Amino acid sequence: MIAIVDYGAGNLRSIKRALEAAGAGARITDDPASVRDAERVVLPGVGNAGASMRRLQETGLADAITEIARRGTPLLGVCLGMQLLFGHQEEGETVGLGLLAGRVRLLPSTLKVPHMGWNNARLGHNSPLGGAGENREFYFVHSYYADPDDPADVAAWTDYGISFPSIVIHDNIWGAQFHPEKSGPDGLALVRQWATAPAITTGAAR
Amino acid sequence: MTSATKSGLKTRIIPALDVTGGRVVKGVEFQNLRDAGDPVELAARYNAEGADEIVFLDITATHENRNNMIDVVERTADQVFIPLTVGGGVRTVADMRALLSAGADKIFINSAAVAQPSLISDGAEIFGQQCMVVAIDARRGAPDGAWQVYVRGGRTPTGLDTVEWAREVERRGAGELLLTSMNQDGTGTGYDLDLLEAVSAAVNIPVIASGGAGNLDHLVDALQPGRADAVLAASIFHFGQHTIKEAKQYLRDHGIPVRLESDPA
């Protein structure tokens, strides 16, 4: 069973339905024990990084997510959930879960912020979706972006004023800056890939 | 390596479904409604044709119809995996929460934003700015050519100037504007391009053009010179005149970046 972490953020119903459409059963839960028991875990997120981290910590969910990530359970962070996988967050000068090495920064103001709408993701060599250099289209809504220390963690790049990582993959930990549950066929393809990717038993998350 | 304005962002095409009594309807200047089908079926069809987002407007907004709308949103969100924007009669944060829980991604408010502007910032604070769309129904008519904001389904003038109101709702935390020309709505004679340009120039949030699309050239016009970020249309899609896919191909042929699912990888 896949656990979708409920900490009061966002449209969880759509993520659940997207997983179901991809053939995977999922349960929405705010219980750290259920997160620890899950075969796979989705960390969604919409809203403010500081408030979200406080809530994850107060509820014990942050510890549960860290534990499962370190022991190799497949984890997918979506939108703010992807950003929280990293360390320092410019929004609210907060520290995220620190499961991936890097920082989260504000998009440059040369274009309208938030970045909202459909945009290309240019696949990298480690993308599960297709060959390097191919494009996929996803629906984005965000003002901040992740800046990983290791470019090898980036599985797809998107251009919006700058080039930022739209998919990151580091062993068992995946992140999508867009909303795969709102990104039509390409989004469902990512959900299906993640939900069926073989679990890595040697968790090597930092 | 990248220029500061480099972007692959696509122009969105958004079919609008006006819903009452569990059916999609469409009228002219908000009058003389024609039946256009079942909302969930229509939304699924537009999704399959490549719509970028779907707007549901509850045009009755009675208590009973609200429950119908929640049901429509739930059933649509179960099978349509693109953003759903829902509004019509939304008056409170609780109304917003009910629609978001049903599967809506964004909420638009109109009359309630005018009556109680703090609702915009309240919604943005709780659900995020990206979630708060303000719909503005504008009617040309002031002697100086300006546009006045109307509420209650276009029946009641407010005395507010549209461009000034657009600036104010942005300042209060709206993430997007859904700008309808009352004069043009349902006429099929084109968007009010002057209105679009005036509002787009005044704000730095996305503007969705609405009201008046009668052919595909009208969509192009709304984007350039109209400067809209997205185009909303109803009649040209509901009654079989064009598919979403045809519209997108047409925009692409005119140099406008769109998402087309037949894109070569």
Side-chain angles (χ1 to χ4, degrees), chain B residues 15-43:
Chain B
L17 281 61
D18 293 1
V19 179
T20 185
R23 301 290 293 177
V24 178
V25 294
K26 187 61 198 170
V28 176
E29 292 198 50
F30 297 8
Q31 308 287 321
N32 302 321
L33 303 178
R34 281 171 75 186
D35 186 279
D38 175 75
V40 180
E41 279 173 26
L42 210 48

Side-chain angles (χ1 to χ4, degrees), chain B residues 106-166:
Chain B
K106 302 190 240 182
I107 302 297
F108 65 88
I109 55 176
N110 187 335
S111 306
V114 172
Q116 189 195 340
S118 60
L119 192 57
I120 304 168
S121 39
D122 290 349
E125 208 163 285
I126 297 167
F127 306 114
Q129 188 195 357
Q130 83 291 333
C131 197
M132 291 304 305
V133 182
V134 172
I136 304 178
D137 292 341
R139 189 184 283 280
R140 196 193 298 250
D144 58 358
W147 299 267
Q148 187 178 174
V149 177
Y150 278 66
V151 293
R152 304 192 63 240
R155 290 186 295 272
T156 309
T158 63
L160 291 169
D161 173 73
T162 298
V163 173
E164 282 174 23
W165 176 236

Side-chain angles (χ1 to χ4, degrees), chain A residues 11 13 17-18 46 110-112 115-116 118-120 137 139 141 159-161 163 181-185 188, chain B residues 2-4 6-10 52 74 78 81-83 102-106 130 204-205 229 259 261 263:
Chain A
N11 181 348
R13 182 188 171 93
R17 297 300 298 180
V46 170
T110 47
L111 294 167
K112 290 181 180 180
H115 170 219
M116 178 157 61
W118 295 81
N119 204 334
N120 289 329
E137 292 169 306
Y139 184 77
V141 182
D159 294 334
Y160 191 71
S163 290
E181 77 281 14
K182 289 288 163 180
S183 294
L188 292 181
Chain B
T2 53
S3 89
K6 184 179 178 187
S7 165
L9 195 64
K10 320 282 180 172
D52 296 309
E74 281 184 351
D78 282 350
F81 296 103
I82 56 175
D105 299 283
K106 302 190 240 182
Q130 83 291 333
N204 197 37
I205 51 178
D229 298 275
R259 177 180 72 107
E261 275 162 14
D263 280 354

Side-chain angles (χ1 to χ4, degrees), chain B residues 244-256:
Chain B
I244 305 275
K245 192 167 182 175
E246 283 166 9
K248 292 185 131 183
Q249 188 60 52
Y250 195 81
L251 292 191
R252 173 171 286 185
D253 293 344
H254 285 73
I256 294 164

